[in-house]
Amino acid sequence: AQKVTQAQTEISVVEKEDVTLDCVYETRDTTYYLFWYKQPPSGELVFLIRRNSFDEQNEISGRYSWNFQKSTSSFNFTITASQVVDSAVYFCALSDEGVAAGNKLTFGGGTRVLVKP
Amino acid sequence: NAGVTQTPKFRVLKTGQSMTLLCAQDMNHEYMYWYRQDPGMGLRLIHYSVGEGTTAKGEVPDGYNVSRLKKQNFLLGLESAAPSQTSVYFCASSYSRRLGQINTGELFFGEGSRLTVL
């Protein structure tokens, strides 16, 4: 069965500090997709990134960067120079390409990030 | 562009009452999902549908029923609400891998429906 673990339940930083969110996943399939979603205090879920299991290149998008390491089954997310607007709950999720139908996502428990001014 | 719309946004029920949550999407997506979000547990899949007229159980289906009579709508029903069903419910939709639609695997979520069962 698929499983996504976000060991950090809450992280508190001061503005401009970097923050790294850990995500460890388990799957028996060789083809899968990993995602990060952001849930700001307003409650909606915002898609941040998708990465497939064959692409281990790190990705940077502005102040956001992602480090995918298949060898350790990890897909970590770093926010550089954090800002108050980054305060949110962040979810890591896994989609099993081997499932017969559906893009069903398995979510981690989420990490709440609080950025203090 | 509405995207995924859930109604109602808030509801308070008494134990044993029934209700239906409605999800509507205007993106012509084949796949639709219902998740529930509870503190510390992330989002858990209740039921999903891969097309009109089809539904399937997810991780936590007990106590819920669903219907997908029209492609754009996915209904989640609680026949006899229990306090354990107090949660925030999210509907989502996505493109299909099977029909050649552009598929990034991304789920498009509604804004959520907060349900309290007393």
Side-chain angles (χ1 to χ4, degrees), chain B residues 17-32:
Chain B
Q17 287 185 319
S18 63
M19 76 157 295
T20 300
L21 294 173
L22 171 62
C23 177
Q25 53 95 3
D26 61 3
M27 296 174 282
N28 199 35
H29 286 168
E30 284 292 318
Y31 296 165
M32 295 188 74

Side-chain angles (χ1 to χ4, degrees), chain B residues 1 5 7 10 12 14 37 41 47 54 61 76 82 87 92 95 99 102 111:
Chain B
N1 196 2
T5 304
T7 52
F10 301 93
V12 178
K14 294 181 180 178
Q37 182 181 12
M41 303 185 75
H47 286 280
T54 70
L76 178 71
S87 188
Y95 290 109
L99 300 182
I102 299 172
E111 296 180 339

